[in-house]
Amino acid sequence: ATLRCVSRASSKRWCRFVSSVPKKLVSADNHSNIFNFKYAHLCVIAPLCKDDLVALPSSLAKTLGNIHPLVVIERISNL
């Protein structure tokens, strides 16, 4: 899957989040110095449809050009 971010700063935040995901050691070979880890990722993305009313946090509304925190979804597109 491809994730496209609006800005470089938001993509850096996403990378920091993914790198901070907890990992669990599955197997280790001390002789060859090989370690296998299992990573746990959980991401909840709310499904949006046309004409949905969305309440944005005020900080996000300010960073999006000082828009109103209540917005209506105008269109949905696949990138």
Side-chain angles (χ1 to χ4, degrees):
T2 302
L3 175 70
R4 297 174 194 238
C5 296
V6 176
S7 67
R8 184 178 178 157
S10 64
S11 69
K12 282 186 174 184
R13 278 195 305 271
W14 177 255
C15 289
R16 271 197 308 270
F17 168 74
V18 170
S19 65
S20 68
V21 171
K23 59 184 178 180
K24 178 182 177 184
L25 182 62
V26 176
S27 65
D29 184 0
N30 293 333
H31 299 293
S32 62
N33 210 19
I34 296 176
F35 302 94
N36 293 317
F37 291 96
K38 182 178 184 180
Y39 296 89
H41 299 279
L42 174 64
C43 186
V44 178
I45 300 174
L48 296 174
C49 296
K50 187 176 185 269
D51 298 328
D52 280 354
L53 180 65
V54 178
L56 300 173
S58 59
S59 58
L60 178 61
K62 286 179 184 175
T63 60
L64 293 174
N66 208 17
I67 63 173
H68 196 278
L70 288 177
V71 293
V72 176
I73 302 297
E74 210 172 73
R75 69 177 159 244
I76 303 290
S77 65
N78 293 329
L79 296 177

